[in-house]
Amino acid sequence: MGLLGEEDETWRVYRAMHGELPCMADVHTYDGFVITGSCSDAHGDDRWINDLVSFLRALDSMKKKVLGVCFGHQILSRALGGKTGRAMKGWDIGVTCIRLSPSAIKLLSSLHIPSHLPIIECHRDEVWQPPPHAEVMACSEKTGVEMFRYGDHMMGIQGHPEYNKDILRHLLDRLLQRNLIQACQAETAKASLEAQEPDREAWKRLCRGFLTGKLSW
């Protein structure tokens, strides 16, 4: 599984958009779940989105580990009672430096995570309001909820820890071809790729530390 997987682990891929979700009878056999990005809206009302919301609520009741990334971050927030929608400041595309909260810095100190953490972003939706009792762990200039945690078993990340620069360049070309962004937005995003590097190693430590229970919440 790219950034997160190790050789001695077994990962299964389910395409929720096509109605694929783990059987509830088998959920106990999984150590955790990662909900990835999607071109769909987390605030949408498609059947598969509602099914995924129900599935995430069931995982919460079982206290299963869940990491949500981009769309996964937003749908996880929605499932837990938060609010999502179109980003107030529009598209956020490129390398963005997020700022960890003081409590998150302390929480992640054992993993040597820097307080300012570059990550590749590509989203036009966001979490407007985090779930009740959730803790906002990070923000950025454009996005108020870059990360949140809910208890010790659920965490959302708005950016893409798994993306590299080539992936983003490909996405920029696709977005331009579909007239979803303007040329000036693409140029700004490309300039951010040259200005700083996403800290993929730090993000790997953070994500795996969460999924493997190495954080002291």
Side-chain angles (χ1 to χ4, degrees):
M1 285 294 292
L3 183 77
L4 297 179
E6 298 288 350
E7 289 185 3
D8 61 343
E9 297 172 342
T10 300
W11 288 71
R12 290 201 60 181
V13 176
Y14 293 89
R15 295 170 177 81
M17 192 173 185
H18 299 299
E20 298 177 8
L21 289 172
C23 175
M24 289 307 302
D26 297 331
V27 164
H28 71 281
T29 66
Y30 292 88
D31 295 318
F33 299 83
V34 177
I35 314 299
T36 64
S38 170
C39 59
S40 298
D41 299 327
H43 53 274
D45 198 39
D46 295 340
R47 178 175 177 178
W48 74 269
I49 290 179
N50 289 320
D51 288 345
L52 180 56
V53 166
S54 296
F55 180 70
L56 290 171
R57 288 172 178 164
L59 295 183
D60 174 41
S61 70
M62 301 170 69
K63 297 293 186 287
K64 298 297 291 187
K65 288 276 187 183
V66 179
L67 173 65
V69 174
C70 198
F71 167 88
H73 162 83
Q74 298 159 15
I75 199 75
L76 183 59
S77 174
R78 173 182 171 178
L80 298 171
K83 295 181 180 180
T84 68
R86 285 285 186 258
M88 302 296 185
K89 297 182 180 180
W91 278 98
D92 189 0
I93 319 173
V95 181
T96 296
C97 192
I98 72 165
R99 303 184 301 275
L100 296 178
S101 68
S103 61
I105 293 172
K106 182 178 180 180
L107 174 69
L108 301 172
S109 60
S110 63
L111 300 177
H112 307 291
I113 305 298
S115 60
H116 289 69
L117 201 52
I119 190 171
I120 290 178
E121 306 256 9
C122 187
H123 64 98
R124 64 173 174 177
D125 296 340
E126 67 181 0
V127 172
W128 288 348
Q129 182 178 317
H133 311 300
E135 176 188 344
V136 176
M137 298 176 67
C139 65
S140 68
E141 183 178 339
K142 273 196 170 184
T143 306
V145 185
E146 285 282 2
M147 290 179 62
F148 75 88
R149 74 178 181 102
Y150 186 84
D152 63 357
H153 61 294
M154 293 190 161
M155 184 168 72
I157 299 171
Q158 178 58 72
H160 284 276
E162 79 282 15
Y163 277 11
N164 58 37
K165 291 184 175 183
D166 287 339
I167 291 175
L168 184 61
R169 290 189 184 99
H170 174 70
L171 286 174
L172 287 171
D173 290 341
R174 286 179 57 190
L175 291 170
L176 276 171
Q177 290 169 5
R178 296 173 62 187
N179 295 315
L180 291 172
I181 62 172
Q182 299 177 351
C184 61
Q185 291 173 300
E187 290 305 315
T188 299
K190 289 176 181 178
S192 75
L193 292 176
E194 303 304 322
Q196 59 182 335
E197 291 283 335
D199 195 343
R200 298 181 79 238
E201 284 303 312
W203 282 108
K204 179 177 181 177
R205 294 196 303 274
L206 191 160
C207 293
R208 284 197 57 82
F210 165 72
L211 288 170
T212 57
K214 293 180 180 179
L215 298 178
S216 299
W217 300 97

